Amino acid sequence: MNQYFIQAALKLAFACTALLAFGTASAQDYPNKPIKMVIPYTPGGSIDTVGRMVADQLQRQLGQPIVIENTPGASGILGAMNVKKAKADGYTLLFNASSQAYLPLVIAKKTYDAERDFTPIGQIGFVPLIVAVNNEVPAKTIGEFVQLAKANPGKYTWATSGLGTTSHLSEEMVNRALGLQMEIVAYKGAVPQLTDVIGGHVSAAISPMPGVTPFVQAGRLRPLAVTSSSRIASLPNVPTLAESGMPGFELLSWYGIWGPADLPAAITDRLNAEIGKAVQAPSLKAKFAELSFVPTQSTPAQFKQLIASDLAKIGKAVKEAGIRIDF
């Protein structure tokens, strides 16, 4: 009997050693084929713009192609679910914004758990949002816009890049804080959102700076405020929402990279180290500066903590505002 247990123990130890060696070898060889990076929105928006910049730098560092797969739909849920179901081997990644964490807070149907179902790899950085109107709207300030909206019920509307996104939450909070009854029209990404605002089909939008800035610079959208706690250097004459009737308000859109749950620590750490190098690359930092995007470096643990703290903060705001959506 003792001999049997000894043999069984030796076999188990050998198997564990073999698995450990295999995992180590796999991590050392990673990556040895192209990586797919899912961006759950349409091409051309803020998340897609920054995601492609980061992917381009990462593939130069890793020596393997990073193939972008745009998977819009259900405010980013479709793309996120594809990554959730993927094999946890580091060859399917998700590039998304803070809405990745916020969505489960506001949707009625259970889809995914933002903390349990994904591996946080690294934060990329953050960016303010701009409150912008089309040129047909006569308002030059938030105060003037509020007066117009209240004097003309039903005339002025918001466009959002997707339900449950930072864009959507910002608009809901502005509506409630400033006593507006403006309808929020949902789109499948920032490009169709901003296109319809520019075309006059919708009056206004709150959207991350990388997508809005080119239209502001071209004079096709008029900025009324920014969602950061202080003014932006590239738009010094545009006040904050905190200065415009919402004291203490700040809501930033932060971007990051996730993998499926249970991504091996060695692969997570390798990717995190490469992300840290990428966001500090001079060429990438210069592009970020043009978009008022602030790059950050974080460990996987720090990124995980950011997600947890934001879930608590935004969850409180969502509950107080009674925001609930159903697809």
Side-chain angles (χ1 to χ4, degrees):
M1 183 65 72
N2 289 339
Q3 185 65 26
Y4 170 78
F5 280 118
I6 290 171
Q7 289 177 346
L10 287 172
K11 288 180 180 178
L12 179 60
F14 177 78
C16 290
T17 302
L19 284 172
L20 180 62
F22 175 76
T24 303
S26 297
Q28 288 175 346
D29 293 341
Y30 176 84
N32 56 28
K33 63 180 181 179
I35 297 169
K36 179 171 69 177
M37 182 176 286
V38 176
I39 297 179
Y41 296 100
T42 53
S46 296
I47 297 172
D48 181 74
T49 298
V50 176
R52 288 175 184 274
M53 289 179 181
V54 173
D56 184 60
Q57 180 63 34
L58 282 176
Q59 69 181 1
R60 286 200 292 269
Q61 294 174 192
L62 292 168
Q64 289 290 343
I66 296 182
V67 181
I68 299 296
E69 183 178 283
N70 291 97
T71 311
S75 295
I77 291 175
L78 293 184
M81 292 298 285
N82 285 351
V83 175
K84 175 190 171 183
K85 297 172 185 175
K87 186 177 180 180
D89 58 3
Y91 290 100
T92 302
L93 305 175
L94 175 70
F95 189 98
N96 204 355
S98 37
S99 55
Q100 164 72 9
Y102 303 158
L103 267 172
L105 298 174
V106 298
I107 55 178
K109 182 180 178 181
K110 181 67 176 176
T111 53
Y112 62 78
D113 186 295
E115 295 178 285
R116 186 186 65 236
D117 293 335
F118 299 88
T119 299
I121 297 172
Q123 185 187 8
I124 300 299
F126 61 88
V127 67
L129 291 80
I130 298 179
V131 185
V133 297
N134 65 55
N135 290 325
E136 296 176 7
V137 176
K140 300 294 192 297
T141 67
I142 289 291
E144 292 176 359
F145 186 55
V146 169
Q147 288 180 347
L148 283 173
K150 288 183 175 180
N152 301 275
K155 179 178 180 180
Y156 295 97
T157 52
W158 294 111
T160 181
S161 57
L163 296 175
T165 62
T166 312
S167 167
H168 174 222
L169 295 178
S170 299
E171 291 164 0
E172 291 277 12
M173 291 176 184
V174 169
N175 270 357
R176 284 164 172 76
L178 301 181
L180 304 179
Q181 299 295 321
M182 287 172 55
E183 178 188 359
I184 298 175
V185 182
Y187 291 85
K188 291 183 178 180
V191 172
Q193 170 201 27
L194 298 175
T195 298
D196 265 19
V197 176
I198 292 168
H201 304 293
V202 190
S203 313
I206 305 180
S207 197
M209 287 192 69
V212 183
T213 298
F215 299 119
V216 169
Q217 293 173 337
R220 303 181 71 187
L221 287 174
R222 184 186 310 121
L224 302 184
V226 293
T227 65
S228 50
S229 59
S230 57
R231 296 194 183 196
I232 303 301
S234 59
L235 297 170
N237 297 321
V238 179
T240 65
L241 275 174
E243 296 175 273
S244 307
M246 296 179 65
F249 182 87
E250 180 184 37
L251 188 59
L252 304 173
S253 182
W254 48 259
Y255 298 178
I257 295 178
W258 289 259
D262 301 319
L263 189 67
I267 291 177
T268 301
D269 291 342
R270 170 76 196 282
L271 285 169
N272 179 267
E274 295 297 339
I275 289 169
K277 294 177 186 176
V279 298
Q280 294 301 319
S283 60
L284 200 52
K285 287 181 74 174
K287 293 176 183 177
F288 283 160
E290 293 174 5
L291 301 172
S292 295
F293 186 87
V294 180
T296 56
Q297 288 182 279
S298 70
T299 65
Q302 289 170 333
F303 188 29
K304 182 178 181 179
Q305 178 57 41
L306 169 69
I307 294 167
S309 62
D310 252 27
L311 280 172
K313 180 178 70 175
I314 299 301
K316 183 175 183 289
V318 165
K319 185 176 182 180
E320 290 175 349
I323 302 170
R324 201 71 176 163
I325 58 177
D326 192 5
F327 290 106

